Amino acid sequence: MRRLLLLIVFILVLLGAAIAYMPLGFVLDRSGAGAAGIGWAKVDGTITKGRISGLYISTQPLGDVTLKLRPLSLLSLSPSYDVQWGGAAGRGTGILTFTRTTLIGEEIRMQQEIGALESLSPPVRAMGGQLRVADGSFRISKTGCEQASGTLSTDALSTLAAQYGRQFGQISGPIDCETGSFLIDMEGRSDAGDEVAIEAKAALTGQGEFVTRIRTQDTQIIIALTQIGFERENGEFVYRQSRSAGIQ
């Protein structure tokens, strides 16, 4: 009996060591992340502690990521990691869980420079500012976004509004998903009563739509909006941009 117990302990230790030294790249290749539009340039380290260099979602680069395993998650065969990532254009933290068919994100906090978002047109990127995600979560699979939540906010209009004597606070709204795509619906208002609404839909394949609507009576602001591509529609000034899947 004693020999049997020692043999069982030996086997368990051997299995634990094998799991601890399993390459992180091996796990990622089988996580389904690649099929969901998530890729990377290089993976270093093991399943317990590793680094992903050159992470990107669709055509948008995010930077480098470090992952630290939550050991108890191995009991469910769905490894979870405390994650930190950063690059020249942004940074963030969160918890990622890999299953055979999905990638799950929780407690996501992120800050991203708008000028580095490659899917936006040059005039919008030139406005500058940042996007921030608070209390974010998501579940994505081969079919795209299955569930998402959190709050997205931006100060993109603050600098532009200041040029015209306006005070414009945060524009914010909820994050959601529908039929595989992420949905964003943000609103904001200036101290002078100017109203802004931003609606966006984006799929991991790269396909998406982006619409900004502004209500204002200020002549100077109207001139500025028309110069960067806004068009008058039903008393509003509207900017639209769409992107087809596969377009780089």
Side-chain angles (χ1 to χ4, degrees):
M1 179 62 70
R2 182 180 179 184
R3 291 180 179 178
L4 178 59
L5 290 175
L6 289 175
L7 179 60
I8 292 174
V9 171
F10 174 77
I11 292 174
L12 290 175
V13 170
L14 186 63
L15 288 174
I19 292 173
Y21 288 99
M22 184 181 296
L24 177 60
F26 177 85
V27 177
L28 291 177
D29 288 340
R30 287 154 179 79
S31 67
I38 300 174
W40 46 85
K42 183 182 179 183
V43 179
D44 298 301
T46 66
I47 191 173
T48 56
K49 188 175 183 180
R51 179 182 178 89
I52 304 172
S53 301
L55 180 70
Y56 62 87
I57 300 178
S58 186
T59 59
Q60 178 61 49
L62 293 180
D64 298 334
V65 180
T66 58
L67 303 98
K68 185 177 181 181
L69 178 70
R70 295 187 164 196
L72 292 179
S73 66
L74 293 179
L75 297 177
S76 63
L77 301 180
S78 299
S80 293
Y81 292 87
D82 291 305
V83 179
Q84 291 186 330
W85 73 90
R91 62 183 183 275
T93 61
I95 301 170
L96 293 182
T97 300
F98 300 90
T99 74
R100 290 179 59 86
T101 59
T102 61
L103 174 63
I104 301 169
E106 300 172 286
E107 300 181 21
I108 305 295
R109 299 182 63 84
M110 185 172 113
Q111 180 175 307
Q112 175 73 34
E113 297 293 333
I114 291 176
L117 293 174
E118 297 186 356
S119 60
L120 298 180
S121 68
V124 176
R125 294 171 65 181
M127 291 173 61
Q130 295 179 334
L131 286 173
R132 295 182 177 87
V133 175
D135 300 322
S137 69
F138 62 80
R139 178 188 294 268
I140 58 178
S141 66
K142 293 180 180 180
T143 59
C145 177
E146 295 183 351
Q147 177 274 330
S149 65
T151 301
L152 180 67
S153 62
T154 180
D155 60 355
L157 290 181
S158 298
T159 301
L160 180 63
Q163 300 176 20
Y164 301 96
R166 296 286 200 271
Q167 295 292 325
F168 224 114
Q170 295 281 345
I171 302 171
S172 63
I175 302 171
D176 203 343
C177 68
E178 181 180 83
T179 61
S181 296
F182 284 91
L183 299 179
I184 296 168
D185 188 1
M186 299 192 293
E187 295 181 346
R189 187 182 181 93
S190 76
D191 60 345
D194 307 308
E195 299 177 359
V196 176
I198 300 176
E199 301 173 1
K201 183 177 183 179
L204 295 176
T205 58
Q207 185 176 10
E209 302 172 354
F210 173 86
V211 180
T212 300
R213 303 177 186 275
I214 299 179
R215 286 184 176 270
T216 182
Q217 301 297 322
D218 190 291
T219 302
Q220 287 185 306
I221 294 179
I222 291 173
I223 293 174
L225 292 174
T226 56
Q227 289 177 341
I228 61 175
F230 280 77
E231 298 181 355
R232 187 189 294 268
E233 294 182 10
N234 301 320
E236 300 177 324
F237 292 87
V238 181
Y239 180 91
R240 288 187 173 86
Q241 183 178 348
S242 60
R243 185 182 180 89
S244 299
I247 293 179
Q248 303 298 316

